[in-house]
Amino acid sequence: MRIAAGATVGALQAALPLDPLENRILLCHALGLSRVGLITQSHRALDAAEAAALGALVARRLAGEPIAYIVGRREFFGLDLRVTDAVLIPRPDTELLVELALERLAPGAALLDMGTGSGAIAIAVGHTRPDARVSALDASEAALAVARANAAAHAVPVRFLHSDWFGALAGERFDMIVANPPYIASGDVHLSEGDLRFEPMAALTDHADGLAALRSIVAGAAAHLEAGAWLLLEHGYDQAAQVRALLAAHGYSEVQSWRDLSAIERVSGGIRV
Ligand code: GLN
């Protein structure tokens, strides 16, 4: 999109063709300003280079690219995380999984986050609970690079493993396993809408019925959990009953689901007996 040099910060906030919040985010990003800077510098005029840079950002957003990828950041559980298109954009829904894990994690417990992506879950838990011994794995080296950078930026010690689900774990056991695996069924219309079009397919869909990754994790987790340890899984809006049935079939106790802020059953879990 062409933006004229000489336009002011204040005028552009009203004139850009995105929603007001996104206008502000892209203006801050293009000009290196804080939110407060947008107000105190509302009369500042953009030079030609700034106008061109802002125009390029707005064009990317108009083409559908997620705002989190354009600015390379997303906040999760109060932490500013780096994101690239190698990782799923952390969602507020997933903060429920973090809260449930924190409520159940014993002092000094060993936690494993499977399919960590940006590292959001592992880093949020480790940041809140420095006593926890946090491990996180992913099948994507590109995702692990992002996760490692996030852990370092927040000084959270996380042990990262390159592993396709349980593949690289040998006989190791944990006091809790959490995962937000790919759970969208292949062919689901959501995959071709909105932000999801730009996110890594391997983080979104199992290329099957949406339950394939959840099934693999439930089937394999018992061999990697201590007795009495929780397995907590995020899943799709209509998968709670099926995930509870999987957990029950594998002998988990206290099998239950929890609702997210939209009152949708979003996380299910149980205790390995
Ligand atoms: N919660 C994401 C969405 O529906 C999907 C994430 C996932 O598959 N784990 O937008």
Side-chain angles (χ1 to χ4, degrees):
M1 185 190 158
R2 231 192 83 73
I3 292 171
T8 66
V9 168
L12 285 168
Q13 274 192 71
L16 293 179
L18 307 173
D19 79 49
L21 176 63
E22 295 190 350
N23 283 343
R24 287 199 294 275
I25 291 171
L26 293 188
L27 267 164
C28 287
H29 187 68
L31 303 178
L33 291 176
S34 66
R35 292 298 177 82
V36 174
L38 280 189
I39 299 163
T40 58
Q41 300 191 36
S42 67
H43 297 294
R44 170 174 158 191
L46 276 63
D47 65 26
E50 290 170 336
L54 179 63
L57 296 177
V58 172
R60 284 168 66 184
R61 183 63 191 130
L62 289 173
E65 192 174 339
I67 202 99
Y69 289 157
I70 297 173
V71 302
R73 318 218 66 92
R74 174 54 48 97
E75 193 205 293
F76 179 80
F77 215 77
L79 299 170
D80 177 44
L81 297 181
R82 167 147 183 71
V83 296
T84 71
D85 63 6
V87 301
L88 189 80
I89 300 166
R91 309 280 203 275
D93 305 339
T94 305
E95 294 180 347
L96 170 65
L97 181 56
V98 173
E99 280 162 10
L100 293 165
L102 288 171
E103 286 165 10
R104 286 164 182 74
L105 206 61
L111 171 92
L112 173 65
D113 174 21
M114 301 189 67
T116 195
S118 65
I121 298 166
I123 294 165
V125 171
H127 188 261
T128 313
R129 288 283 302 277
D131 61 291
R133 290 174 289 133
V134 182
S135 300
L137 59 81
D138 207 285
S140 159
E141 286 281 14
L144 286 171
V146 175
R148 281 197 184 94
N150 280 322
H154 293 286
V156 177
V158 177
R159 179 180 63 136
F160 289 104
L161 298 159
H162 184 224
S163 183
D164 189 359
W165 299 137
F166 300 99
L169 281 180
E172 199 173 346
R173 288 185 190 266
F174 299 86
D175 301 307
M176 184 183 292
I177 294 179
V178 298
N180 173 20
Y183 54 66
I184 301 177
S186 79
D188 187 310
V189 291
H190 295 102
L191 293 170
S192 49
E193 292 173 3
D195 286 3
L196 276 64
R197 291 171 295 167
F198 292 81
E199 294 183 276
M201 273 295 155
L204 292 168
T205 178
D206 57 1
H207 303 285
D209 64 352
L211 289 164
L214 289 158
R215 267 189 217 103
S216 301
I217 294 170
V218 174
H224 297 282
L225 285 169
E226 303 286 357
W230 279 94
L231 172 61
L232 296 170
L233 300 167
E234 179 172 328
H235 50 67
Y237 69 96
D238 57 354
Q239 293 171 329
Q242 294 166 93
V243 175
R244 286 196 302 271
L246 272 174
L247 289 163
H250 282 83
Y252 284 79
S253 70
E254 309 259 341
V255 172
Q256 57 199 285
S257 301
W258 295 269
R259 293 179 190 274
D260 64 18
L261 291 173
S262 313
I264 291 165
E265 287 183 321
R266 178 60 68 187
V267 175
S268 295
I271 295 179
R272 180 192 181 277
V273 288

